[in-house]
Amino acid sequence: MNAVERIVGSMLPLPRAHVDTDQIMPKQFLKRVERTGYGQYLFWDWRRTSDGEMNPEFVLNRPEYQNAKVLVTGPNFGSGSSREHAPWGIQDWGFEAVIAPSFADIFFNNCTKVGLLPVVLTEKECAYLTELAQHEPNAEVTIDVPSQKVTANGFEADFDIDPFIKHRLLNGLDDIGITLGHADAIDAFEKSRPPYKPVLSRSQ
Amino acid sequence: MTEPRTLFEKVWDDHVIHRASGKPTLLYIDLHLVHEVTSPQAFDSLRLAGRTVRRPDLTMSTIDHGVPTAGREFGIRDPLSKKQIDTLIDNCAEFDITLYGLDDPRQGIVHVISPEQGATQPGMTIVCGDSHTATHGAFGSLAFGIGTSEVEHVLATQTLPQNKPKSMGITIDGTLAPGVTAKDIILGIIARIGTHGANGHVIEYRGSAIESLSMEGRMTICNMSIEGGARAGMIAPDQTTIDYLEGRPLAPTGSDWDAAVAYWLSLPTDEGATYDTEMIIDAAELVPHVSWGTNPGQTLPVTGHVPIPEFIEDPIERDSAERAIEYMALTPGMALTDIKIDRVFLGSCTNGRIEDLREAAAVLRGKTISPHVSAMVVPGSGLVKLQAEDEGLDQVFKAAGFEWRDAGCSMCLGMNPDILSPGERCASTSNRNFEGRQGQGGRTHLLSPGMAAAAAVTGHLTDVRSFA
Ligand code: SF4
């Protein structure tokens, strides 16, 4: 995972509530076994009209938002399926952060594992940034992880972040490496597990 | 004396390997369930990092999401699905993981087969790269869905760093009215709390209405915890749990069984323990529910009407209702029972178990489905299918005009050939009604197996209580 310290870039506004991961990354793209290349499938159905043509109105298709680095959206973003393909797609499209009033738990977790920064601001703050992005597509926002601040022209807001997630993001740390530092404790725990816990064997 | 603790706290405490302030707690994972869709990238990274699977004997794998449910003998036609399935078969062989493959009668939806084999037991931690892992909480285990990075983490270490969720107690006392099922309980709860009402929480369902349910019904409830935003759902183990597990292939035997039962019975929430949030529902107030919109919170009693957006105060919810009504092609204010359907899907990890099939068959016996409806039954596992055939249920379904399929996720998410066409409307016993979930442009109404059967016969959404 790459370290995340400071993100500077323009925003893409998607003011919708309860955007679920079936919309972010539809099921037909979950058949791939690769880890990369999901950006082209992002919001597949929403980017198209009912007859399958590209919908020039949808915000992701609009030329003025092609270089956006920050997705600004509504509450409960990323609800539903646990598919990590959703954050992979958002990241692969070119986004480095998502700002919303709230996130679904598993999605939030998945973002922090892949270095896509989820930022929770209040509904009012999100509405302000949405309007800014709608009126001035080139307006830049800065998200500074060390100071936990989001700033834009005349706008400033603090955000909360779990101290350990912050530490991991700032240093680009791999969770597995950290856990393996506790190998002795895992070994000891395993020795104390009761014998009635189920075990599978390939001969079954 | 220790402080009184909840079921969730007891299971959590018993799996702590390492705890330090300001950091997530490292939890031991008793069982890791793996399927073809969310695992290939995890195995790949594992290989790249030169790591291996720490406990293949605590890992169980099956193929469910992408499998065809008809004509399996001809192989898997979709080349992408085939590659994904072959990748899982290869990974299981390479890392020595038990796989219930397509040639195994025990194959089926991961959340159906693990309880069926007795691998899901009370007091365990269970994870799977799938949000409906909460199903296993019906046994009093702590079970939750994870992403692919976490799948890799569990494969490599058999542990997971987790921040402790909050707890929510939902008590449902009283007796359920006839025609009201476990599915209606959970749809009724989600209709009340909304799709993110339980974010950050583990729900414990309790009270006499929950205790009176079979294990199948309890699984239906815990299964949809995620639809209310919860990390997990749990129900305390009791005699019903013990009776279900006794004699299952992976259940303990002899003195291990006695020790296990003693442990399981120590798990229920202590008198005086408290939850961060509490909610009380009177079972007598619950009625059959059906979803009208494009998230599971957009659900109402079947006697209700499609909402009129102008009357919704919250601007965000109003906007979401307007979008949903448009997508679902409904008229504000229309009676839900006036909604005509084209398809019926009976199956999924929510309602694909034997009891669900019995419930639907009881409604269908001696009847035939409406001529404009096409309907299918997809049993949750190969063993559910065999059991249903033993009981003659397949004959009831076929005589009524249902297709009788092989086990898998099927039209719950349509990663296999079973999908809705654009504009088609489906009465579905699955768990998600998101836009396009069952096929691009498809429209989904969530309901119980009995209600799905009734809708198949009448051709429109129907109150199973007034159906005879
Ligand atoms: S049946 Fe549906 S919800 Fe359950 S595991 Fe399969 S796809 Fe997921």
Side-chain angles (χ1 to χ4, degrees), chain B residues 288-360:
Chain B
H289 274 69
V290 60
S291 73
W292 57 269
T294 54
N295 73 55
Q298 292 174 325
T299 288
L300 284 168
V302 64
T303 48
H305 296 80
V306 173
I308 300 175
E310 292 91 275
F311 297 161
I312 301 175
E313 286 209 2
D314 182 315
I316 294 173
E317 293 306 326
R318 189 189 318 130
D319 175 63
S320 129
E322 271 167 5
R323 284 185 54 83
I325 287 172
E326 190 193 331
Y327 180 87
M328 296 295 288
L330 300 171
T331 313
M334 76 188 286
L336 294 177
T337 47
D338 284 342
I339 297 174
K340 276 184 76 175
I341 53 150
D342 311 301
R343 312 273 300 256
V344 172
F345 171 65
L346 177 54
S348 88
C349 60
T350 313
N351 284 128
R353 281 170 278 266
I354 188 69
E355 198 178 72
D356 304 310
L357 271 47
R358 289 183 191 135
E359 180 188 322

Side-chain angles (χ1 to χ4, degrees), chain B residues 64-65 109-111 130 132 348-349 409 412-413 431 437:
Chain B
D64 51 8
H65 283 65
I109 305 171
V110 65
H111 308 309
D130 190 286
H132 291 99
S348 88
C349 60
C409 293
C412 174
L413 93 165
N431 43 52
R437 167 84 177 177

